[in-house]
Amino acid sequence: MDSCHITRVALLVITFLSLFSTLSESNQFCDAGIGYGESTCTVASTSPSKILIKGGMVVNAHHQEVADVYIEDGIIVTVQKNIVVGDGVKIIDATGKYVMPGGIDPHTHLAMEFMGTETIDDFFSGQAAALAGGTTMHIDFVIPVKGSLSAGFEAYVKKAERSAMDYGFHMAITKWDETVSREMEIMVKEKGINSFKFFLAYKGSLMISDELLLEGFKKCKSLGALPMVHAENGDAVFEGQKRMIELGITGPEGHALSRPPALEGEATSRAIRLAGFVNTPLYVVHVMSIDAMEEIAKARKSGQKVVGEPVVSGLVLNDTVLWDPDFQTAAKFVMSPPIRAPGHGKALQAALSTGVLQLVGTDHCTFNSTQKALGIDDFRKIPNGVNGLEERMHLVWDTMVVSGQISVTDFVRVTSTECARIFNIYPRKGAILAGSDADIIILNPNSSFHISSNSHHSRSDTNVYEGRRGKGKVEVTIAGGKIVWENDELKAVPGSGKYIRMPPFNYLYDGIEKADADYLSSLRAPVIRSVRTA
């Protein structure tokens, strides 16, 4: 193919493939009216398979330049200036706008059974919200069924059947025995899972012991999988909850008071030290406090391979909302670790801007006001979780880029590329390069966004970012080469998303073997000693 012209033969082949794709999708319809609020939804089969994005500022994590992007059948064919195409190609003028990789959210909980209920967003409504906000892939957490990883995996495969965009899986480990150990191998070698999460909180349900944590770390290391931790001291949190109840503090404010930053800092430090003892990389999810962030900074400064993931709520909110006299208003902000006091968010922003923290997730785990009311007389029964899938890209742009804290290339890194690298799917994802998947957003820095539960695409009747406005709006989202968001119109199709297998041994494992060898040589043991005879 000429660098600037598509050949007639190629066009014939593409036309045939496009016709086949349209026929195969003609019976797939949007879930109109379910989870979309008042927004419009249409059938995505009208989206062309050949797209040319012209004249935009193409931004990758390492470079930006004005160029055109040509897409065929879900793949980026070429990125260069002045591409000329024939008929039958959808042309999008991106002059004066940024063309960037679609967001990848590393931390979501869709259709998750938790605290006696199930999150209100499933794999379609949550993903529809994501697409409207410029996120084109997410990684969800599989929760084992009665400790069984295989049963949990199969349950989540079924939950994800109606996916409207690409997704991957992490796996939680909630108990330990030989069966779990063997199943971890199956998950990595056969199912495409390369990360396992260990909860140091939620005593009596998901929480695991240090003994299990060590076993899990060792197994992850042997498989080249990345261990992840929810870092709060679950025993101390349990004690804090009892203390609040004894003091008569039963409202949402009791949630934050029962699990202060010190307990997040302690668990983060403990997990980091145990990971160092095993010599495995570590990923700390939803870093919410200065205490936890400083432990990560100290470890990284010493050379330890620790990844810190702040979430949008921790970056932009503070805990004063938990003291709101209206229960429904306060309860919607309950999550774990809690949203912290003023000052923590600014510190986390600074840590993100300097590389102490590496990527931004959401911990999207939504419950509506009726579900939150389960804890109206006892904060311990309020389902933990907030929204963020639809809002993340806009809020990070407005909070970090518009304010000058990070560059546009850094924005791509923290919202997309670094996630793809950590979970070993780069450059298929997280890049606008020839051969990469055509998951692309067009962001207009001069447009404004407004967040409201009346117009968002989540099924939840509340939004923790209600009323927020800012600069920088995602005007077009392309997922899998299809235009799924344009002119404020959503075109999500249930069942069109793909499961993305993620291989083990990411870049964080580089040098691990040498570090193990250096450790063994440093022991100077065992010492051969002579036995004295009488």
Side-chain angles (χ1 to χ4, degrees):
M1 182 173 65
D2 185 273
S3 64
C4 293
H5 295 270
I6 308 300
T7 67
R8 187 171 299 174
V9 173
L11 282 171
L12 288 171
V13 172
I14 294 165
T15 300
F16 172 78
L17 290 173
S18 177
L19 175 62
F20 177 81
S21 174
T22 300
L23 288 171
S24 66
E25 291 180 356
S26 61
N27 291 322
Q28 294 181 313
F29 295 92
C30 292
D31 207 4
I34 301 178
Y36 281 146
E38 299 302 319
S39 299
T40 303
C41 179
T42 60
V43 180
S45 60
T46 58
S47 181
S49 61
K50 298 171 287 181
I51 302 170
L52 178 64
I53 304 170
K54 287 197 67 68
M57 178 64 75
V58 177
V59 186
N60 282 297
H62 60 285
H63 178 68
Q64 67 182 65
E65 63 174 335
V66 175
D68 300 343
V69 181
Y70 180 68
I71 300 163
E72 288 181 5
D73 295 323
I75 302 296
I76 297 171
V77 175
T78 187
V79 181
Q80 60 186 60
K81 297 180 186 298
N82 303 319
I83 298 174
V84 178
V85 294
D87 295 335
V89 178
K90 164 77 171 179
I91 297 177
I92 302 174
D93 183 4
T95 304
K97 302 173 186 179
Y98 292 107
V99 180
M100 300 183 284
I104 308 174
D105 190 336
H107 190 154
T108 64
H109 298 282
L110 301 181
M112 178 190 181
E113 297 170 19
F114 186 53
M115 297 185 71
T117 186
E118 183 174 313
T119 55
I120 198 70
D121 278 326
D122 62 17
F123 274 79
F124 180 70
S125 68
Q127 291 180 351
L131 292 170
T135 288
T136 54
M137 180 180 170
H138 70 112
I139 312 177
D140 209 85
F141 288 87
V142 173
I143 307 299
V145 174
K146 297 180 180 178
S148 169
L149 278 55
S150 296
F153 181 82
E154 293 305 319
Y156 271 74
V157 167
K158 186 170 182 62
K159 289 179 181 185
E161 285 177 349
R162 300 175 68 254
S163 288
M165 71 185 199
D166 291 356
Y167 62 95
F169 286 145
H170 310 291
M171 174 70 72
I173 302 296
T174 56
K175 72 171 192 175
W176 189 261
D177 55 31
E178 282 304 310
T179 299
V180 170
S181 179
R182 287 194 301 272
E183 286 189 317
M184 286 178 70
E185 292 190 34
I186 294 170
M187 293 300 118
V188 172
K189 296 177 180 178
E190 299 179 20
K191 304 301 184 183
I193 289 176
N194 66 1
S195 50
F196 295 91
K197 182 178 180 181
F198 303 87
F199 289 87
L200 307 187
Y202 301 121
K203 184 173 182 176
S205 58
L206 299 172
M207 178 178 160
I208 52 90
S209 66
D210 286 355
E211 179 183 8
L212 189 157
L213 188 64
L214 284 166
E215 292 294 336
F217 280 178
K218 290 189 295 181
K219 190 65 178 182
C220 283
K221 181 181 177 181
S222 72
L223 295 170
L226 181 61
M228 314 173 82
V229 290
H230 172 139
E232 289 181 286
N233 187 310
D235 288 319
V237 167
F238 185 74
E239 178 62 29
Q241 290 174 330
K242 288 195 299 181
R243 180 186 300 170
M244 292 305 113
I245 296 299
E246 289 169 358
L247 291 171
I249 302 171
T250 60
E253 70 278 10
H255 178 75
L257 294 170
S258 69
R259 47 208 314 149
L263 303 189
E264 186 185 353
E266 185 279 330
T268 303
S269 173
R270 178 160 41 99
I272 287 171
R273 290 168 187 265
L274 293 179
F277 177 66
V278 175
N279 189 29
T280 179
L282 180 67
Y283 185 113
V284 184
V285 304
H286 49 40
V287 178
M288 297 293 284
S289 66
I290 293 171
D291 305 54
M293 178 270 289
E294 288 181 340
E295 296 294 341
I296 293 167
K298 183 168 62 176
R300 289 178 62 85
K301 188 174 181 179
S302 72
Q304 193 170 342
K305 295 183 177 184
V306 180
V307 173
E309 169 210 270
V311 290
V312 175
S313 53
L315 292 173
V316 306
L317 301 175
N318 67 68
D319 72 352
T320 56
V321 290
L322 293 170
W323 274 261
D324 193 288
D326 177 67
F327 173 85
Q328 180 176 315
T329 299
K332 72 180 180 180
F333 293 96
V334 169
M335 64 174 292
S336 294
I339 296 164
R340 301 299 186 185
H344 287 269
K346 285 291 186 183
L348 294 176
Q349 291 175 27
L352 183 64
S353 70
T354 56
V356 171
L357 302 175
Q358 288 72 52
L359 73 169
V360 182
T362 61
D363 195 9
H364 184 96
C365 185
T366 49
F367 300 96
N368 63 21
S369 55
T370 301
Q371 292 171 303
K372 290 282 189 176
L374 292 171
I376 194 165
D377 296 318
D378 186 342
F379 68 83
R380 296 172 298 180
K381 298 177 182 178
I382 301 172
N384 291 191
V386 301
N387 59 289
L389 256 172
E390 186 167 357
E391 299 81 12
R392 179 182 70 125
M393 300 290 279
H394 289 123
L395 289 172
V396 173
W397 179 271
D398 188 59
T399 302
M400 301 299 297
V401 181
V402 175
S403 68
Q405 294 188 78
I406 64 174
S407 67
V408 178
T409 53
D410 283 338
F411 173 80
V412 169
R413 176 177 57 80
V414 302
T415 61
S416 183
T417 306
E418 188 60 19
C419 183
R421 292 183 68 232
I422 289 170
F423 296 104
N424 231 4
I425 51 176
Y426 180 86
R428 177 182 179 182
K429 302 289 187 183
I432 298 184
L433 299 170
S436 297
D437 286 357
D439 294 340
I440 297 171
I441 62 172
I442 300 175
L443 185 145
N444 186 343
N446 298 313
S447 289
S448 299
F449 66 86
H450 174 225
I451 297 172
S452 171
S453 58
N454 292 325
S455 58
H456 71 195
H457 295 79
S458 165
R459 286 198 177 112
S460 178
D461 60 346
T462 64
N463 192 309
V464 294
Y465 309 104
E466 186 71 39
R468 285 183 175 258
R469 299 176 183 270
K471 291 296 294 291
K473 187 176 188 299
V474 175
E475 294 186 338
V476 178
T477 303
I478 298 170
K482 300 288 187 181
I483 298 170
V484 293
W485 175 254
E486 188 179 27
N487 300 321
D488 289 334
E489 183 180 320
L490 186 61
K491 304 175 183 179
V493 176
S496 60
K498 301 187 300 295
Y499 175 60
I500 304 299
R501 293 174 178 268
M502 300 180 291
F505 293 105
N506 65 17
Y507 78 91
L508 295 169
Y509 272 93
D510 294 346
I512 290 289
E513 288 186 2
K514 183 180 185 305
D516 283 341
D518 290 345
Y519 166 73
L520 291 174
S521 66
S522 74
L523 299 177
R524 295 182 295 128
V527 175
I528 300 173
R529 294 179 172 85
S530 59
V531 179
R532 293 185 180 182
T533 57

